[in-house]
Amino acid sequence: MEIKVTADLLDGLVLALLESQDYYGYALTQDMQQAISISESTMYPVLRRLQKAEYVTTYDAPYQGRNRRYYKITESGENHLQRIKKMWNDYKESLDAVFAAADKRKQNAYDEEGQHE
């Protein structure tokens, strides 16, 4: 089973990679695939959306007689990434609290069951 990745989380993952270095599309897709299942046909619309929102800019650089389009995070993109990280941490903490409470209830029920034997 895979957990679905929302557009906001996908944006955050892309911006997080771009925070450390500029990428061309194929290399960015390859690195994203280390974490989630994503195709190039999904990645490019994400990059266009981020570019339209001015969270990334592009520039072309020659490579083996061709141009590669590189994506670079902007200051606005860095600010957006920080908001996404905060939302993710808040969300993760709330889910962790639910899972921890469920585990504790299960352990308490197990402990009570053991005392009655």
Side-chain angles (χ1 to χ4, degrees):
M1 179 182 114
E2 285 187 24
I3 294 176
K4 300 294 181 203
V5 177
T6 65
D8 286 335
L9 189 53
L10 190 55
D11 290 356
L13 293 170
V14 170
L15 292 172
L17 286 174
L18 291 173
E19 188 177 38
S20 63
Q21 70 183 55
D22 299 352
Y23 275 90
Y24 63 96
Y26 179 77
L28 183 59
T29 302
Q30 295 300 303
D31 279 5
M32 283 286 288
Q33 288 175 341
Q34 302 285 328
I36 62 170
S37 177
I38 189 168
S39 67
E40 282 184 73
S41 62
T42 301
M43 180 63 74
Y44 286 104
V46 171
L47 290 167
R48 281 193 297 276
R49 181 177 66 241
L50 291 171
Q51 185 177 7
K52 185 176 180 183
E54 299 182 351
Y55 295 145
V56 301
T57 60
T58 62
Y59 62 91
D60 292 339
Y63 177 78
Q64 296 182 348
R66 298 179 31 188
N67 273 340
R68 280 187 173 165
R69 173 147 298 159
Y70 283 82
Y71 296 85
K72 177 181 180 70
I73 192 169
T74 64
E75 185 176 337
S76 177
E78 289 175 5
N79 293 334
H80 186 59
L81 175 59
Q82 295 313 309
R83 286 190 299 272
I84 292 171
K85 283 181 180 180
K86 180 174 182 345
M87 287 188 307
W88 170 255
N89 283 327
D90 292 348
Y91 183 67
K92 182 182 176 307
E93 286 174 9
S94 66
L95 291 181
D96 286 346
V98 170
F99 291 136
D103 288 345
K104 186 174 183 178
R105 283 192 301 274
K106 184 177 178 181
Q107 185 61 45
N108 288 343
Y110 177 78
D111 291 345
E112 286 178 12
E113 186 178 297
Q115 292 175 0
H116 295 297
E117 291 181 7

